[in-house]
Amino acid sequence: MAKDKKLVEAITSMDTDFAQWYTDVVKKAELIDYTSVKGCMVIKPSGYAIWENIQKELDARFKATGVENVYLPMFIPESLLQKEKDHVEGFAPEVAWVTHGGLEPLQERMCVRPTSETLFCDFYAKEIQSYRDLPKVYNQWCSVVRWEKTTRPFLRSREFLWQEGHTAHATAREAEERTIQMLNVYADFCEEVLAIPVIRGQKTDKEKFAGAEATYTIESLMHDGKALQSGTSHNFGDGFAKAFEIQYTDKDNKLQYVHQTSWGMTTRMIGAIIMVHGDDSGLVLPPRIAPVQVMVIPIAQHKEGVLDKACAIRQELLEAGFRVKVDDSDKSPGWKFSEQEMKGIPVRIEIGPKDIEAGQAVIVRRDNREKTIVSLEELSGKLSEILDTMQKEMLERARAHRDAHTYDAADYGEFVKILEEKPGFVRAMWCRDQACEDKIKEDTTATARCMPFRQERISDVCVCCGKPAKAMVYWGKAY
Amino acid sequence: MAKDKKLVEAITSMDTDFAQWYTDVVKKAELIDYTSVKGCMVIKPSGYAIWENIQKELDARFKATGVENVYLPMFIPESLLQKEKDHVEGFAPEVAWVTHGGLEPLQERMCVRPTSETLFCDFYAKEIQSYRDLPKVYNQWCSVVRWEKTTRPFLRSREFLWQEGHTAHATAREAEERTIQMLNVYADFCEEVLAIPVIRGQKTDKEKFAGAEATYTIESLMHDGKALQSGTSHNFGDGFAKAFEIQYTDKDNKLQYVHQTSWGMTTRMIGAIIMVHGDDSGLVLPPRIAPVQVMVIPIAQHKEGVLDKACAIRQELLEAGFRVKVDDSDKSPGWKFSEQEMKGIPVRIEIGPKDIEAGQAVIVRRDNREKTIVSLEELSGKLSEILDTMQKEMLERARAHRDAHTYDAADYGEFVKILEEKPGFVRAMWCRDQACEDKIKEDTTATARCMPFRQERISDVCVCCGKPAKAMVYWGKAY
């Protein structure tokens, strides 16, 4: 078991240095690798397979709400990016510029899309003529580029993968409904599939998307008590429609502007999975998103019949619909256990000569190491139960952790003290004046994560300035 | 039926002007739209859904051969692109250059990937140490950019979508086997799923990929007699490995260079589907790739029970695994027929009051307009048969068309005359001297499409220079 320890010792403990632990897990679980391109990474097979499962799940949920997929160019001419004033101010400082095509300089430089509102608007302006052309509910899966100064794998990189939905509607009401609908798709996906509980709410004006009337967000809490913005949905009203002249003729033959939304979720969710569920042995993947759900590990595999039995179990479980592999390498069982744990594979099945004799196998859960001895006849049914329970308990555990790290503050001194001493969310009242947001950020580095849909009245006045309170806010330090 | 005619008249006839017919179909079948970004296009829902099906089918076939998906950056630093001499010469003239990140000039400019050999090599040089790390059989789905001067939807655009597989192997033999294996995956996919027959063969040195030792290709023939390179697979030998120092320690503890391959298929296959199967009424999609396989069109849908019955049929067919929709719009049946034909939906089911009374429906095939009256009880089984037959006959028809447009020439006068007068492939012998290829191109604009794996001996001497023949070549004018 010497090698076993070596693998675990290869990662820093969470409590010693959470940031280093994160980087270690990302590397040792073989999710990413760094590249010669500063701030950009390789997503390796184990990481990309998680993204494929995220795509599959989200895409099916999108399509069930009538979303259609499209693909727009990756380049945006500078003049197009500049059409909506707030939008260009938000993004121009962090885009990558293409200035030459082949050997010749371009007449107009283009940026690599940081997001595609302007391209969709340009497209919709041509596509939409009549109320019959509405709504448009389009989405694309692609990569985008934002020239960030400091980067971290999955959480903040110069290029990342995402989906971006862009819709156009006849009425303001329909646009608002779609904005909320997609936020709920994200929230349900996070909770049901990633086992990550989220707070649903609205961003403050300071934190909203460049060019949006309203930005809605789901916020989750990482193991270290820092918040992660996990998905956003924006209502643009008719602001972009006016800048890009996207008009339709209504049933009364009058010209009207469309109302638009956009919404996105990114590969940063892989970072969220790591930081919500991981432990000192590595990654822990929720069964519903795990590319491999079950690793069958033969014990004393050189003995006759062991490997055959392991393969027979794999075959049976594959046919029952599980994602399963056998580790038949020449490593020791202890080493294989460590690798399975480092990679976050939800359960392992141990099968050795004594198990075979007794007609049983041992199922070990990754999250709590619980062992269950199961008769081989009941393996598939029992495995299904264990994975369901694990999925449910991972969500419950994450929710309990979040709730235990969510504090209320009515007094500014207390508010600042909590933010200094206790990592987590602080719920406090706010006057809706940006000056207070700015002061809080300066005093604590915390930001308004969201004004939750479920408002509660913690006190009557703003925690910062003492003026009448207008909203309860989740405050926190964020990735 | 006035509107019916109008829609069909909206496209040019194939015989009048094939290029214009193609552009018309691409637009009227709502596959693409042009954008403000010159040479780049929007792939609309009907076009993107075809690509999604191509991805799904190919990806499953790749994974069955052990391929794993990854994602590498879209940018390549100039110094990296320059590491392999032939490669940089092939691609540098047509790349887009990023020179600024945000407000600052980059220290080293980067191109947007035209293909990712150099990035994979940089990655593999770090990843591969020992024979235990081999083989690496990775693939990515992404977009690439080549700054072409003249562009055509799907066939040649400045940005296009594709997959690119990149592998590294311990031995030359293994690399060669993988190169051929993936070419066969492409060929089988084209024939079985897209109903497009292909010639499998090897490119001449003049036509091979920049940096490859050998390039294999599948070539298909479009309706107008022009060839389309439909998928390529390259064996790099150890050329890139030497340029990028990708070495591993073998079992005898000796340092060895790896042997590499790459292989790609692109959105241009959507262009191939259009140009192989389309007709003067629009697109014709093979059932296996069609996003919607069946359009149920109610006749006299205002009459009681008609729409209900159409929806019940849809439901039954959905449950039986077909991709099916009902056209319940307020357009006339004739108009709906035209739309279904323009969009290439493989069959329509007509259901009206008389059909309901008789307990039947009418199935109409898109490709040959054959009508079959089917009892509603047998609908699903009969539909399945019809779609299978259609898939098979589309391939046979395309093969018959190709064979009827494939000529043999032993004499140069005859060779040139055929290429001038008869669109199609010309099979002729070649001495393997590039001077003859150059002359043929100058005299006829035709190029060597491939040296087919199935060699035949048409004559003993090169059709061009009369020296001893070394290979039979498919010659043709190409997209």
Side-chain angles (χ1 to χ4, degrees), chain A residues 34 36 71 95 102 122 126 159, chain B residues 36 71 95 102 122 126 159:
Chain A
Y34 296 93
S36 303
Y71 187 78
V95 295
D122 194 45
K126 285 191 294 179
E159 180 186 2
Chain B
S36 303
Y71 187 79
V95 296
D122 194 45
K126 285 192 292 180
E159 180 186 2

Side-chain angles (χ1 to χ4, degrees), chain A residues 214-266:
Chain A
T215 288
Y216 302 103
T217 180
I218 51 172
E219 299 283 327
S220 54
L221 197 70
M222 304 297 100
H223 187 85
D224 65 345
K226 277 171 108 172
L228 190 83
Q229 176 181 303
S230 301
T232 48
S233 187
H234 316 290
N235 186 344
F236 293 116
D238 58 7
F240 274 92
K242 283 178 174 161
F244 285 81
E245 290 177 41
I246 314 174
Q247 287 179 293
Y248 70 96
T249 313
D250 70 11
K251 286 183 184 173
D252 302 325
N253 217 27
K254 278 188 198 153
L255 266 185
Q256 305 280 1
Y257 286 107
V258 300
H259 292 75
Q260 291 172 270
T261 83
S262 81
W263 23 276
M265 186 169 265
T266 81

Side-chain angles (χ1 to χ4, degrees), chain A residues 38 91 116 139 201 206 289 292 345 352 377 388:
Chain A
K38 195 167 169 288
F91 285 103
S116 302
N139 173 66
K206 179 183 164 79
I289 206 69
V292 180
I345 295 166
E377 279 155 26
D388 285 351

Side-chain angles (χ1 to χ4, degrees), chain A residues 430-432 457 460-462 465-470:
Chain A
W430 178 51
C431 61
R432 295 198 82 147
R457 193 149 197 93
D460 293 328
V461 296
C462 175
C465 69
K467 281 187 219 150
K470 291 191 181 146

